[in-house]
Amino acid sequence: LLEPAELGCIYVDIKGLLPLYVNTSELVDALLDEIPEYFSTRVGIAEGKFPAYVAALNSDPNDVTVLSSSLSSFLAPYSINLLPIPDRMKSSLRNFGMYTMGHISAQSLEVLQSQFGFIANVAWNLSHGIDDRVINSVVNEQEITEHLDLSFNTSIMDVIVLTLETMLGNVFAR
């Protein structure tokens, strides 16, 4: 599954690809081999889109960062500006002296909820590396139609098969 995000960012659900490779490292090597080096691709692997995004930001160009545990401590030094929350809330958090995800994760959820409401759940969970959002894959459906008019009526199977082969050839050529 692929989900395009903001410019230059794509989320890939690799769970379906893992059985095809010996390990995660081999899978990542295969992904990076398919992307030209001049794109300076940065890959982050984690449970959840947000931790994977921050891991990718932490990666060197054409390299990967894999997060498997202690997501909260990995995310702690990063700025609250990375959180997908309204700018008004980020400004309020800064007014309370909270500049990093570590500052948010150090607070109790109840305290944040009392000040910011439901959106505090998002900030607190993401600061702890908890992201249960699914990959919203974009499905490109393309409808192809083809028709062919014969200038005569026929019931001869060879003519019908030849006509169908011609139509399928046209469809696959598109």
Side-chain angles (χ1 to χ4, degrees):
L1 297 172
L2 295 171
E3 177 185 343
E6 65 270 1
L7 183 63
C9 183
I10 295 176
Y11 293 106
V12 180
D13 186 350
I14 63 170
K15 290 176 187 162
L17 297 173
L18 284 174
L20 302 174
Y21 296 91
V22 175
N23 55 36
T24 305
S25 176
E26 189 178 299
L27 168 61
V28 170
D29 289 343
L31 284 172
L32 288 174
D33 287 345
E34 294 301 317
I35 302 170
E37 278 194 35
Y38 58 82
F39 281 123
S40 298
T41 305
R42 298 168 190 257
V43 177
I45 297 179
E47 282 291 327
K49 291 172 18 176
F50 183 72
Y53 172 72
V54 177
L57 292 177
N58 189 59
S59 295
D60 291 326
N62 301 309
D63 202 7
V64 63
T65 298
V66 179
L67 303 179
S68 56
S69 61
S70 65
L71 296 178
S72 187
S73 60
F74 173 81
L75 294 169
Y78 287 93
S79 171
I80 61 171
N81 291 333
L82 295 175
L83 291 169
I85 57 176
D87 289 337
R88 189 177 78 249
M89 181 178 176
K90 291 175 188 175
S91 178
S92 295
L93 287 168
R94 282 189 219 96
N95 289 340
F96 285 114
M98 293 185 253
Y99 300 97
T100 67
M101 287 183 242
H103 292 139
I104 293 174
S105 62
Q107 303 298 315
S108 73
L109 180 56
E110 293 78 20
V111 168
L112 289 173
Q113 282 178 329
S114 67
Q115 183 64 35
F116 299 105
F118 178 76
I119 194 69
N121 289 343
V122 173
W124 191 86
N125 283 329
L126 293 179
S127 295
H128 280 87
I130 302 166
D131 186 3
D132 56 2
R133 296 175 297 164
V134 296
I135 301 285
N136 295 315
S137 181
V138 175
V139 178
N140 290 331
E141 291 186 17
Q142 184 177 13
E143 184 177 317
I144 299 174
T145 59
E146 183 71 24
H147 76 277
L148 189 64
D149 294 321
L150 296 175
S151 59
F152 55 89
N153 292 334
T154 185
S155 61
I156 300 171
M157 189 55 80
D158 289 341
V159 174
I160 294 171
V161 169
L162 180 61
T163 303
L164 289 173
E165 285 178 354
T166 302
M167 291 172 62
L168 281 173
N170 291 342
V171 166
F172 285 119
R174 285 196 215 159

